[in-house]
Amino acid sequence: MKTRLQVVVVGAGIVGASIAYHLTQRGARVTVVDSGKAGFGASSHSFAWINAGAKSPAAYHDLNRRSLEMWDRFAQRLGCDVGLRWGGKLSWEATSEGAAALKERVGQLQEWGYPSRLLDEAELHRLAPELSLGTVTAAEFSEIEGQVEPQMVVDACLWRARELGAKLVEGTSVTAFARSKGRPRVESLETSGGSLPCDVVVLAAGVSTTELAAKAGVHVPQEESPGVVIRTDPRPPLLPTVPVVYAPALDPDHPALVRSEIHLRQCHDGSLMIGEGNQESLRRDDTQAHADDLLGRAIHYLPSLAGARAITVPVGYRPMPLDGYPVLGFPAPNSTEAAPNVYIALTHSGVTLAPLIGELAAIEIVDGVRVESLSPYRPERFL
Ligand SMILES: Cc1cc2nc3c(=O)[nH]c(=O)nc-3n(C[C@H](O)[C@H](O)[C@H](O)COP(=O)(O)OP(=O)(O)OC[C@H]3O[C@@H](n4cnc5c(N)ncnc54)[C@H](O)[C@@H]3O)c2cc1C
């Protein structure tokens, strides 16, 4: 009988929770530590659109698509409702420049074998009659995309992990790593609640991963990436067919609406989430005035939203590796400074990627292999 591996996962966002769940499924003993409450980090700010359509280049697009296609199985194994809803994403443009860019993007996605397609205006109306489209110069539908509720996923993962003996320690910060003199391995974690012994540490602490990794001798640079997605009060179902909508910046009939594009989706509890720009847009305005403005722009395209109340949400900070791609794995075996038993799990698009990262990280940690498809995403690329 092998001794069961003792793994401490630092961070109970969607990434840490998925890794913890998959580790327990593979027989590890797991403790999850979070300085706050599980799911209250970046995961609670996420627009939570599951997609590969917004990802480039081809290899990264494929990684996201693979994870997208794992979501059904993941949710099924969790065995409870996590707010997973398919139906695709619709977007359209109102200018000729926007149309040219959209057509080019759809062409690229089709070359990668992604079932994105251009729609004519009649098809667009048929698919989403609830939308008031304004001028349409081009429209696109990505039918395999969807949405999920990160908090429900986190709760489900941790619940299943605890059924297999995992411990969740909330309100406790990891502050340092203890190593014996002359030995590179981390033997225990120092936390605000005392010391925790470990065979392996997983750093899934979102934006705090950089600072913690540095204490273990691993360089994982990030850039600051603030984003704002507001909410409304709960409404009756308003987007019955296609759950995720990207609407254009510019409506020539309403020149006052010349700003960036907006995106909206309806959550499991009936509230709507509304953001502006794309998935990486930097936004810091979390005032009520801005929330009211976003709601006004959403009502312009979805008139049945009239009467909703805009609820501000504080700025959320995306975990964002410096080059934009995930950082996954143990440090390179030849690294002299780095603790060899510290596994980094830092990523943007962590909602889309949570099933894949959880499954592959658990294989690497428990079975001691290096999964080939993760080789472009190793921490050593920043050395
Ligand atoms: C505005 C916005 C929109 C987004 N939209 C999308 C989208 O549409 N689709 C998509 O796929 N992704 C989206 N993302 C990205 C996605 O939400 C994140 O990639 C994902 O939530 C990251 O999860 P995580 O578990 O790595 O980090 P987090 O959820 O931030 O979890 C990290 C946890 O670590 C804990 N922690 C930190 N330091 C310590 C410490 N020292 N000790 C103990 N615990 C610690 C924190 O308390 C936190 O709970 C969006 C993000 C934002 C902010």
Side-chain angles (χ1 to χ4, degrees):
M1 288 285 286
K2 279 199 296 188
T3 321
R4 287 171 68 205
L5 201 67
Q6 172 70 63
V7 185
V8 179
V9 178
V10 185
I14 196 164
V15 172
S18 173
I19 294 174
Y21 162 75
H22 284 93
L23 283 169
T24 55
Q25 293 289 313
R26 295 185 88 78
R29 285 182 296 154
V30 175
T31 302
V32 184
V33 194
D34 198 290
S35 49
K37 269 180 76 66
F40 278 48
S43 304
S44 67
H45 293 265
S46 187
F47 186 61
W49 164 41
I50 301 172
N51 78 91
K55 313 292 166 55
S56 297
Y60 184 52
H61 164 83
D62 284 345
L63 193 82
N64 279 269
R65 180 165 183 181
R66 186 173 161 198
S67 193
L68 180 157
E69 287 171 352
M70 290 166 80
W71 259 106
D72 271 329
R73 176 167 59 91
F74 182 39
Q76 201 179 10
R77 286 172 71 206
L78 290 172
C80 57
D81 188 0
V82 291
L84 184 62
R85 189 177 157 212
W86 299 114
K89 184 223 41 173
L90 259 186
S91 68
W92 73 99
E93 294 291 341
T95 62
S96 51
E97 301 80 40
L102 187 69
K103 286 176 186 168
E104 192 182 330
R105 180 67 189 158
V106 170
Q108 174 67 90
L109 290 171
Q110 290 174 343
E111 280 171 21
W112 290 341
Y114 200 61
S116 230
R117 63 191 168 95
L118 293 171
L119 299 180
D120 63 30
E121 210 171 325
E123 284 177 294
L124 187 56
H125 275 294
R126 261 200 308 278
L127 209 52
E130 66 278 13
L131 295 174
S132 166
L133 302 163
T135 304
V136 179
T137 52
E140 170 264 341
F141 180 48
S142 286
E143 66 189 52
I144 63 169
E145 298 181 351
Q147 64 177 40
V148 75
E149 300 303 335
Q151 189 65 55
M152 293 169 86
V153 178
V154 168
D155 291 344
C157 285
L158 295 175
W159 175 46
R160 288 295 179 206
R162 274 179 290 180
E163 282 183 337
L164 292 177
K167 291 191 193 118
L168 171 64
V169 186
E170 293 180 304
T172 301
S173 291
V174 172
T175 52
F177 304 106
R179 315 196 223 184
S180 298
K181 201 157 182 260
R183 299 194 59 197
R185 294 181 72 79
V186 170
E187 283 161 13
S188 63
L189 285 82
E190 287 165 21
T191 79
S192 52
S195 164
L196 283 173
C198 61
D199 299 315
V200 171
V201 184
V202 176
L203 289 186
V207 290
S208 302
T209 299
T210 299
E211 189 189 338
L212 285 171
K215 293 181 182 181
V218 188
H219 179 52
V220 189
Q222 281 188 72
E223 66 184 4
E224 198 174 79
S225 183
V228 174
V229 182
I230 66 136
R231 289 209 177 227
T232 70
D233 54 340
R235 313 304 295 170
L238 299 181
L239 294 168
T241 314
V242 182
V244 180
V245 171
Y246 270 71
L250 171 71
D251 190 314
D253 303 331
H254 297 78
L257 295 177
V258 182
R259 299 191 195 88
S260 33
E261 63 183 336
I262 60 165
H263 44 276
L264 56 150
R265 75 170 183 95
Q266 190 160 24
C267 303
H268 192 260
D269 66 0
S271 64
L272 276 93
M273 294 186 102
I274 309 167
E276 67 175 339
N278 63 31
Q279 258 204 307
E280 274 96 44
S281 294
L282 307 183
R283 294 287 185 277
R284 290 179 196 276
D285 190 350
D286 55 7
T287 61
Q288 185 66 50
H290 181 59
D292 291 340
D293 177 55
L294 278 178
L295 175 61
R297 287 153 71 186
I299 291 170
H300 175 76
Y301 292 114
L302 182 62
S304 50
L305 189 51
R309 189 164 52 87
I311 300 169
T312 57
V313 176
V315 182
Y317 290 88
R318 305 174 185 94
M320 187 61 80
L322 202 54
D323 58 7
Y325 300 109
V327 188
L328 300 168
F330 291 111
N334 58 359
S335 164
T336 47
E337 297 285 301
N341 57 337
V342 171
Y343 191 96
I344 308 292
L346 171 69
T347 193
H348 178 44
S349 284
V351 172
T352 301
L353 290 169
L356 175 127
I357 290 178
E359 187 165 283
L360 299 190
I363 292 173
E364 294 203 311
I365 293 165
V366 176
D367 299 278
V369 298
R370 278 167 72 89
V371 173
E372 280 174 22
S373 53
L374 295 185
S375 52
Y377 307 110
R378 299 303 183 193
E380 57 259 32
R381 72 180 186 272
F382 295 111
L383 281 177

